[in-house]
């Protein structure tokens, strides 16, 4: 097989195929006396595997997996795949927790007037020091009076309620800050519903991509296995 034969199947350039080989994503090709590369069905299986791994694990990790295969480091291959599934499971857990927390927020009494840090702390049953720590972590961004006192508006109280729910669920402040930022970007909990649905679709797509990549990977490992 020629580079163009591999490239045509996937709509790639022949240079891309050569680059993948040079990066170790494909096994080294044999050369004709005149220097032209000669690929086989094993190379074709490698290319299909690499391209299937990209939507499942990302380009960099896909490359790491292919390099580990060609270094005969099967344990590293499996460990990398395990970490990918572990991350997907964590992302699903986070999504479920955020969905429940957003639903719980609708049950809270809305805040019409800005609250001081002491008033908000009493509302949540936490200390003012806790709220200051959340502010330092980027979870809360209250406004300030000319005197320097913090004022928590309705959206600040919403963020604090959400942080309180997720904190009780054991989530670290850094992850809570990311979730709260998503809500701010979405424009509030109402608009967040569409964002959460899109997030779930993307997680489902990644899970299905992992299944497809596993099938390709199994085919490639079988193709590489020495004949009995």
């Amino acid at each position: 097989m020629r580079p163009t034969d591999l490239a045509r199947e996937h709509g790639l350039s022949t240079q891309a195929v050569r680059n993948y080989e040079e990066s170790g994503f494909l096994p080294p090709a044999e050369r004709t006396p005149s220097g032209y590369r000669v690929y086989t069905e094993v190379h074709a299986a490698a290319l299909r595997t690499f391209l299937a791994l990209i939507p499942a694990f990302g380009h960099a990790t896909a490359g790491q997996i292919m390099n580990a295969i060609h270094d005969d480091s099967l344990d590293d291959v499996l460990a990398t795949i395990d970490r990918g599934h572990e991350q997907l499971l964590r992302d699903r857990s986070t999504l479920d927790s955020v969905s429940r927390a957003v639903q719980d927020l609708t049950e809270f009494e809305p805040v019409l007037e800005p609250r001081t840090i002491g008033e908000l702390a009493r509302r949540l049953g936490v200390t003012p020091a806790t709220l200051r720590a959340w502010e330092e972590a980027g979870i809360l961004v209250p406004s300030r009076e000319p005197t320097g006192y913090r004022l928590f508006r309705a959206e600040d109280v919403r963020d604090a309620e959400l942080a309180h729910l997720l904190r009780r669920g054991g989530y670290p402040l850094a992850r809570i800050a990311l979730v709260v930022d998503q809500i701010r970007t979405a424009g509030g909990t109402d608009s967040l519903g569409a964002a959460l649905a899109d997030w779930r679709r993307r997680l489902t797509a990644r899970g299905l991509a992992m299944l497809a990549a596993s099938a390709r990977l199994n085919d490639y490992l079988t193709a590489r296995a020495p004949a009995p």
Side-chain angles (χ1 to χ4, degrees), residues 67-113:
N67 288 155
I69 291 174
H70 299 142
D71 289 338
D72 294 320
S73 301
L74 186 57
D75 285 343
D76 291 342
V77 172
L78 297 177
T80 301
I81 291 173
D82 288 344
R83 285 193 293 271
H85 284 282
E86 184 181 28
Q87 181 62 57
L88 179 61
L89 185 61
R90 286 199 301 269
D91 289 346
R92 288 189 184 281
S93 177
T94 299
L95 174 61
D96 290 340
S97 295
V98 173
S99 298
R100 288 193 299 269
V102 170
Q103 180 63 35
D104 290 342
L105 283 179
T106 62
E107 301 176 4
F108 286 101
E109 177 186 354
V111 172
L112 301 179
E113 296 294 331

Side-chain angles (χ1 to χ4, degrees), residues 13 33 99 110 117 124 131 151 172 187 201:
S13 67
S99 298
I117 190 170
L124 299 179
L131 296 180
L151 281 180
R201 283 192 294 270

